[in-house]
Amino acid sequence: MEKVKKKIGSFSFWNWVTASIIFRLILIYFPKNLNLSSRPEVSTPLTSFRRLAEGYWLKQSFMSPYAGSMYHGSPLLLSLLGPLTINRIEGQPNHLLYSLVSVIADVVSAMLIRATGQNLRLAYLRSLESLDLVKQIEVSEFLFSGDIAALIYLCNPFTIVACVGLSTSPIENMAVILCLYGACSRLIPLAAFGWVIATHLSLYPAILIIPVIFLLGCGPDSPPRKLFLQRHQQKEVLNQSKLPPRFSWGPVIHFAFWAFLWSVYVLVLCGISLKQFGGLWEMFKSTYGFILTVEDLSPNIGVLWYFFAEVFEFFRNFFLIVFHVNILFMILPLAIRLRHRPCYLAFVYVAICSMLKSYPSVGDSALYLGLLGWFVNELADMQFSLFLFCGYVGVSLLSPVMHNLWIWRGTGNANFYFATAMVYACLQIVLVVEGVSAMLNHDRKLRNLITGKPQDAKS
Amino acid sequence: MAETKEKSLSDEKPKPRVRPIVRLGIFLISHSFHVSVVCCTAGVLALFLLPVLAKNTYISENALMPGSASPMLSNQHVSDGNRLVKDLTNPNSKSSETGIESHKIIAQYMLDLGAEVSFHKFHPQMNQFHPLHFFSSPDSGKIQENYSCSSYGINTVGIIRAPHGDGKEAIVLVTPYNALKSGFGEALSLGIAYSVFSLLTQVTWLAKDIIWLVADSQYGEYAAVAAWLREYQTPKFSSLSTPNAEMCPDVNNLFELKGHSISGSKFSNSFRRAGTMASALVLKVRDQNEQFEDTISIYAEASNGQMPNLDLINVVNYLAVHRQGLRVNVEKLWSLLNSSWLKSLGEIFESLAKVAKSLYPKWKFGIPATEYVEGTATLASSLYYQALGVPTGPHGAFRDYQVDAITLEISPKFSLDKVWRNDILLRGGRLIEGVIRSVNNLLEKFHQSFFLYLLTSPSKFVSVGVYMIAFAFLIAPLPMVAASLYVDANSSSNCSKGDSSTPSAITDTDEHSIAIRSWRWLNSAKLVFIVHLWGAIVSLLPYFISQIPDCSPTTSFMIWVLLSILSLLTLNSVLASPLACAKATQEKEWALVKSVTISSVFIGLGLMSVINFATAEIGALLMVPMCLLAQPLKLDVRAGTLRSFCRMICNLVLGHIAFPPAALFLLKGMLDGFGNANVGDFWMWVESLWAWNSATYLFIVEVTYIFSHG
């Protein structure tokens, strides 16, 4: 996954991109043998390709696409991707066109990640320059985080599996990345569009509005503002131009306006396409309602299905609230602590969502692992990296094995599979905790460099 | 393990106050050498203790109620069975070339009982290894090859519909029968099955349908049963199937004959089905026997070390021992029975138990030395067959469809008089009747008892909770050593930096070391990944080699070796020459490579223990010492001390022994002398393994890869 990093020296970026695309195309030609689209790790009730095809079929036969609790995605996806589910080319694999769309979505996401990463790197260098730390931290050693992040996203087995497994998560991920890219490069309509579409498709990216506001208000990631002030106090020249800009409300209001516009547009489109089938209310009930009430308890790599299969019916609502408030609880403290690093905040939010969402899949992990690549320079001294790597490898191998034991061999049971889901959740927690603490340590190190204190081992 | 490793890593810079658990972690890692020696010894010792720790089996599903009803099989049914045996052994019935006559006789007998009869024609399908089918479920999507009409088999299937049942469930009784050269034993097994069958047509308590499958074993027992099961479980809805047996005139002839001679609605040309299978019994009677009493052998191992539910074995064992007075045994490694060291080990355990008992009378865990030796022999064979992953009989085919099945092989004390034959028919029949009656009582499928166990005798087993302890001991050193190597590699780089740098330059150098330190393992991970990739390629090669027609095992083995080396070289050149890079790296780097390798081995062994415990256990016995001892030869040569020399020798020996061809060569040499072992055998062996999709196969790759590191 992250092996790519070191190879950049000897191999050009584009070679790897082509290699990963070719690898995907090869895999697309064996869809029957791999049978990935029926794996619970890849296709959840929200992202399953089969359900999309079913919804499209229902709609074609003038029934509500949400009839029978099969399809739970957006009606826009039905109109855009639906025709691809039945189009076939003679002599080619069945879903070639749809797979190609996923591949293109992946590549586009990778390119957007690359552009954003370059943006972030430039911003980081600029802030180091204004802090006069360029000499102390060898900038020439800096890795091109944009390239690395893009390659991590493209070569990550999780991304490849989600792409070849015909799930819709490449598209959802692309919307999220579009939103962050727009916010980083200050293309406000694009950011608003990405945010509205991402929220429309899978609800959870709604909380990305906080990092986006920070991004638009203060610009991309930089060391805390306090440091700049300290630096300039030392020099006793207050050079306003070198300070990062203060929070400005203009772009945020601009963003709000565009977001409103885009959401009205999307809702109108949905309303038109669902006019005969119960309208928008029906859509909200079977997409957002389905996500929030955890109706489908079929196994996935999350932890909620097992819990809600066990819980007593009259506690169900209580625990639904508890689980969803869990995400909301973490928003505020993290936003306060990491407000100077909005992109990193976005990464943490995405990781937390993919851990606590009701129907997680490996596509979500692919997204946040890709975003993690942006911060290779900052997170260079992250602890447990080997442990986390081994953990991810182990869990991603163990999960299909446990599923096989439970479903096919009949010698295991649901607890076997759930155990891997728990380990997976723990790994994600360790990743987030270590990542955040490494980032805070990095800030602390910068502060020590400025104040001239020797580096202490406080962590 | 994660715990210890995590703790260890968090304490690269020791703080004044550390929590006890962290201190424990540090302690374990700093003494990883001693701890790993202790753990490995404990693991091996625990493995030898398993026969002592075995528990008595018990019937865990209450609904089974074995032996609660008195057997209804009477002499009338026995004489029916005898009639069939006589007809089959009659030389007239063997006149036909294809043995159709005897199938007709059997079908006729079944029809006379009022059962539904059909023939199932199949082409023997060789087990084809398909690399991409490895992980998918059994499916019907196998492409039929073009068959000739000359080779097909006929299974005769008789079905009794249960008077009280709803037709949703069924019990299967299988008797392999080779019509062309059937021994007396096979005829006798048909006789037993027939007598039970004739009883079951009359009884009123039957709630599940009974299927009697006379599997045509001229192409192997397994192939016939597997073909029938495939047809049963995965119906073909399309009529577009490639030319099959129906086209052949000979078979059609058979049907016409049948149609003429038997005018009844009970016979049908189409494939007949009953409900889902609750369980299956394969019944065999052995021809030659030199034992002094009637014994019955149970074979349970299915593909990849899967076992049927323990309750099924329990029921058979209980009924055979307590009702029919038959001796039950399971497979043993006979060579172990006479080994003196095992005997003395057993005596040591026995005397230890005596001492313990004298100290505290409630400690009763000892077993007599002879029993210990027998238990170990059984355990060893149980481990061996599970590890091999090749089913020990036709029952293996059932397990692929989650049906619990065992093979019962009755070996009677041989004499030819009629009384004896009636006796064995009566007792065998009553045993089968009892088992079927028990299974008939089941309300759900077998789920109460264990699926993961090792047998040490027919009535003793070691459950997963016990044998996993031995395994855990064995692999516990791996994460510990990996963590300690990792910590060492990191801290040593820090120390050297700290010594060389003055306080003023500390920030600068720290920046360097930090940037490298935490992600430096990526390089080693890359190396390990590439070697794994190579292993995967090597393991997929036989599939392509086997496509080459007309290859003797020796040549194909040579092709395999050549292609493997070629692929290694290609990978080497394409992917930034990883091996050269490894050679150039220093000691520290090497420690990291070892650390990553060991963690990957740990993950692999952990996975394997879930898939197939026995393979993982045997693999761990080989690989754990290899992983822990591994050290670059160059370093050892340079060090030149006695200890490093010993270690070098150990490495070389272990590396060569664990390399699978070498291992097989040694084994073969030990078994039948070094003269007739050749590399072709290895090819055959591997071929037989991958034909069964064996997990062992994956394992070989793993071992190969370790070797390439050594």
Side-chain angles (χ1 to χ4, degrees), chain A residues 393-394 397-399 401, chain B residues 602-612 616:
Chain A
V393 172
L397 292 175
L398 199 60
S399 166
V401 168
Chain B
F602 177 70
I603 294 174
L605 283 176
L607 272 181
M608 193 55 80
S609 74
V610 179
I611 298 172
N612 185 348

Side-chain angles (χ1 to χ4, degrees), chain B residues 191-307:
Chain B
I192 295 175
Y194 179 73
S195 57
V196 177
F197 206 63
S198 67
L199 167 75
L200 292 176
T201 48
Q202 298 157 9
V203 293
T204 52
W205 44 260
L206 208 60
K208 293 180 168 65
D209 298 346
I210 303 291
I211 306 174
W212 178 18
L213 170 68
V214 181
D216 190 349
S217 63
Q218 52 180 322
Y219 303 107
E221 296 162 357
Y222 185 90
V225 176
W228 179 75
L229 266 174
R230 207 178 303 126
E231 182 89 24
Y232 191 96
Q233 303 279 11
T234 53
K236 287 194 193 74
F237 293 110
S238 68
S239 53
L240 295 168
S241 57
T242 43
N244 54 19
E246 245 115 310
M247 299 284 195
C248 302
D250 200 10
V251 187
N252 285 338
N253 189 23
L254 162 86
F255 280 120
E256 268 160 35
L257 267 175
K258 274 287 154 201
H260 283 303
S261 61
I262 307 150
S263 56
S265 60
K266 293 282 189 180
F267 179 81
S268 78
N269 282 341
S270 60
F271 194 84
R272 288 286 185 125
R273 288 190 177 78
T276 56
M277 299 173 195
S279 83
L281 292 172
V282 182
L283 182 69
K284 290 201 263 187
V285 177
R286 193 186 282 180
D287 273 334
Q288 284 90 29
N289 190 31
E290 55 283 341
Q291 302 215 342
F292 305 109
E293 53 183 327
D294 299 334
T295 60
I296 177 163
S297 317
I298 299 178
Y299 298 90
E301 287 87 359
S303 62
N304 256 337
Q306 300 182 74
M307 298 289 278

Side-chain angles (χ1 to χ4, degrees), chain B residues 154-214:
Chain B
I154 303 167
N155 291 330
T156 314
V157 184
I159 299 175
I160 305 174
R161 303 286 172 186
H164 292 308
D166 49 4
K168 298 253 171 65
E169 286 178 301
I171 303 169
V172 187
L173 185 62
V174 182
T175 45
Y177 178 64
N178 186 352
L180 289 184
K181 45 169 182 140
S182 68
F184 185 66
E186 276 186 340
L188 204 57
S189 74
L190 283 176
I192 295 175
Y194 179 73
S195 57
V196 177
F197 206 63
S198 67
L199 167 75
L200 292 176
T201 48
Q202 298 157 9
V203 293
T204 52
W205 44 260
L206 208 60
K208 293 180 168 65
D209 298 346
I210 303 291
I211 306 174
W212 178 18
L213 170 68
V214 181

Side-chain angles (χ1 to χ4, degrees), chain A residues 183-441:
Chain A
C184 258
S185 37
R186 307 194 82 75
L187 302 167
I188 293 173
L190 190 66
F193 176 73
W195 182 73
V196 167
I197 291 294
T199 309
H200 174 63
L201 289 181
S202 59
L203 182 62
Y204 288 96
I207 60 169
L208 287 183
I209 194 168
I210 294 169
V212 167
I213 285 175
F214 280 129
L215 264 177
L216 292 174
C218 329
D221 295 24
S222 64
R225 196 180 157 78
K226 213 167 50 181
L227 284 187
F228 291 92
L229 293 174
Q230 276 178 345
R231 188 68 183 169
H232 295 298
Q233 272 166 8
Q234 277 180 352
K235 286 184 154 185
E236 293 174 0
V237 233
L238 204 64
N239 188 350
Q240 274 299 339
S241 69
K242 276 196 166 184
L243 271 180
R246 288 185 169 280
F247 193 86
S248 56
W249 283 101
V252 176
I253 292 167
H254 199 177
F255 173 79
F257 168 71
W258 275 103
F260 176 73
L261 215 63
W262 283 119
S263 37
V264 168
Y265 181 59
V266 165
L267 286 182
V268 166
L269 282 183
C270 291
I272 291 172
S273 86
L274 288 176
K275 206 166 54 189
Q276 306 105 311
F277 314 123
L280 285 179
W281 177 243
E282 180 70 19
M283 181 189 86
F284 281 126
K285 218 170 60 185
S286 38
T287 53
Y288 292 172
F290 181 76
I291 292 173
L292 291 176
T293 52
V294 199
E295 280 168 28
D296 190 315
L297 297 179
S298 56
N300 54 42
I301 51 173
V303 285
L304 264 66
W305 62 273
Y306 191 86
F307 187 81
F308 283 108
E310 302 277 323
V311 80
F312 286 120
E313 195 57 38
F314 43 86
F315 288 132
R316 195 182 155 89
N317 288 333
F318 170 70
F319 280 109
L320 278 177
I321 293 169
V322 167
F323 271 95
H324 287 111
V325 164
N326 234 338
I327 296 180
L328 297 180
F329 266 150
M330 285 190 226
I331 289 179
L332 197 61
L334 283 170
I336 292 171
R337 200 71 185 81
L338 290 171
R339 67 182 179 284
H340 56 283
R341 292 188 181 277
C343 277
Y344 196 70
L345 185 64
F347 154 73
V348 174
Y349 281 171
V350 170
I352 287 176
C353 280
S354 83
M355 186 163 57
L356 290 175
K357 77 195 292 188
S358 35
Y359 309 103
S361 71
V362 289
D364 303 313
S365 315
L367 176 62
Y368 72 73
L369 287 176
L371 298 192
L372 187 64
W374 283 342
F375 310 101
V376 272
N377 294 314
E378 288 91 335
L379 295 183
D381 50 355
M382 196 172 127
Q383 283 177 334
F384 302 150
S385 47
L386 176 61
F387 168 70
L388 281 172
F389 179 77
C390 291
Y392 269 96
V393 172
V395 166
S396 52
L397 292 175
L398 199 60
S399 166
V401 168
M402 290 300 193
H403 192 260
N404 183 279
L405 280 194
W406 175 25
I407 302 293
W408 291 110
R409 284 198 186 181
T411 50
N413 53 40
N415 300 331
F416 283 47
Y417 188 67
F418 180 63
T420 60
M422 287 221 294
V423 173
Y424 183 62
C426 290
L427 275 179
Q428 285 171 317
I429 290 171
V430 173
L431 177 74
V432 169
V433 169
E434 283 310 311
V436 170
S437 78
M439 187 53 98
L440 296 180
N441 276 342

